[in-house]
Amino acid sequence: MPKPTLNVLQSRAWQVSLGRLLLLFAIALVVGFASGYVLPALVLMFAGYSLWSLYSLLRVQRWLLSRTRLPPPSDMGVWSDVAEFIYRRHLGSRNRQRRLVRLLRAYREAAAVLPDGVVVLSAMRQIVWFNESAARLLGLDGQRHRGMIIDRLMRNAQILAWLAQARANDPLIDVPAPADPDIRMSMRLIPYAQGQWLLVVRDVSMLLKLEQVRRDFVANVSHELRTPLTVLHGYLDLIDAEHDPELDGMVREMRKQSARMAQIVEDLLTLSRLDAQADTHDEPIAMTALLAGLRRDAEALSQHQHEIRIEATSTRDLRGSAKDLHSAFANLVANAVRYTPPGGRIVLRWFDETGGACFAVQDSGCGIPAEHLPRITERFYRVSTSRSRDKGGTGLGLSIVKHVLGLHQARLDIQSEVGVGSTFSAHFPGERVIDAIAPDLN
Ligand code: ADP
């Protein structure tokens, strides 16, 4: 069948139809002149032609209504052309539709067997579709739960609070699976299309178990190292090598290194303890006394080589673990002293801010290059290993700070410029800040 064209003169069907009409017209004229009835012959011819056209139209209409998959009849002149055009369009869209359905089915089949649970939620949070893993973890049933609002199906308070916030890219980690509390899972909400959500749930029991094994290992190794180190340290202290300058230097270095190892072990044990904690103490902490204590510690470390100041504009106090917060703040202050050359300035700040309060340590020290900032709170991450060792650092201080602040729902912010100095700020939320407590409480 030739391709339908909009140019009448190029269309084969139009050429045939027009030719046929002209031929009929010529025959009618000849018959008319021969019989002496020209007009009736022409009228008859046109009437016949119109009837044939109407009949062809009727056949096209029947063919359209019959929804047949067969091609249209080809003996209707221009009408066949029109019908053929519709037929081709229809075939094209049917093939496209088939391809789309096949693609959709392939996606669904792939999503259905994903090891992660996937739930498609409407803008109103109704369950549109879910795969086998989601059914297994969340206890969903296709018959009963499709179309229901997901929030109404969950019983766990943590999951409900998280769903209520519905924050994308803020996953919920380590919650018991509704279908089996022994399974621990993580949940993530991903927005897509117009207001729709993809809820992705993952069985993380194995990962959490491995993480626990790692934590136990670090805690046990640190614990086991503590006793032999104490013994070594003790004997090193007893060695009297003052009469032998060479031996004296060696013993001094050994003492220094064993003290460093002991400090690493202590820091690792502190981290293990903080890691295992889900929440923290809730005691009032008087900030005035804490700041004064931190300043005294800093001055002892600095040996009066730095100018150390307190600038406290807030009269409020904190709620949390006094021991852990003191250790975190002391770490920040010790770093400021260690990484600021003699003659530098260190300011301890305590001030109110929108939604809470902030403790900050500002120094005029060497600063930290920007590329190190994202990783600076990782365990054993150091800008310069040799400099940190020289200063007696373990590389665990900021990691401890981050853990302690996390347990207090606080956030660590670091601003630093090389050669100008650094500011480490601990931002505490309003629920951790209390009105000043009576002095005898702390
Ligand atoms: P360390 O025990 O080595 O000091 P930390 O975890 O406390 O370990 O700090 C990690 C690294 O961050 C340090 O090695 C140091 O390079 C850098 N750092 C920390 N505080 C400061 C500061 N106030 N000024 C410049 N560098 C700092």
Side-chain angles (χ1 to χ4, degrees), residues 365-384:
C366 57
I368 304 163
E371 68 268 23
H372 293 286
L373 288 178
R375 299 192 57 193
I376 201 88
T377 55
E378 285 174 22
R379 287 170 198 211
F380 294 114
Y381 190 87
R382 282 172 277 212
V383 175
S384 152

Side-chain angles (χ1 to χ4, degrees), residues 335 338-339 363 368 376 381-383 388 393-395 397-398 424:
N335 276 351
R338 274 192 266 150
Y339 299 108
D363 65 51
I368 304 163
I376 201 88
Y381 190 87
R382 282 172 277 212
V383 175
S388 164
T394 61
L398 289 181
F424 287 75

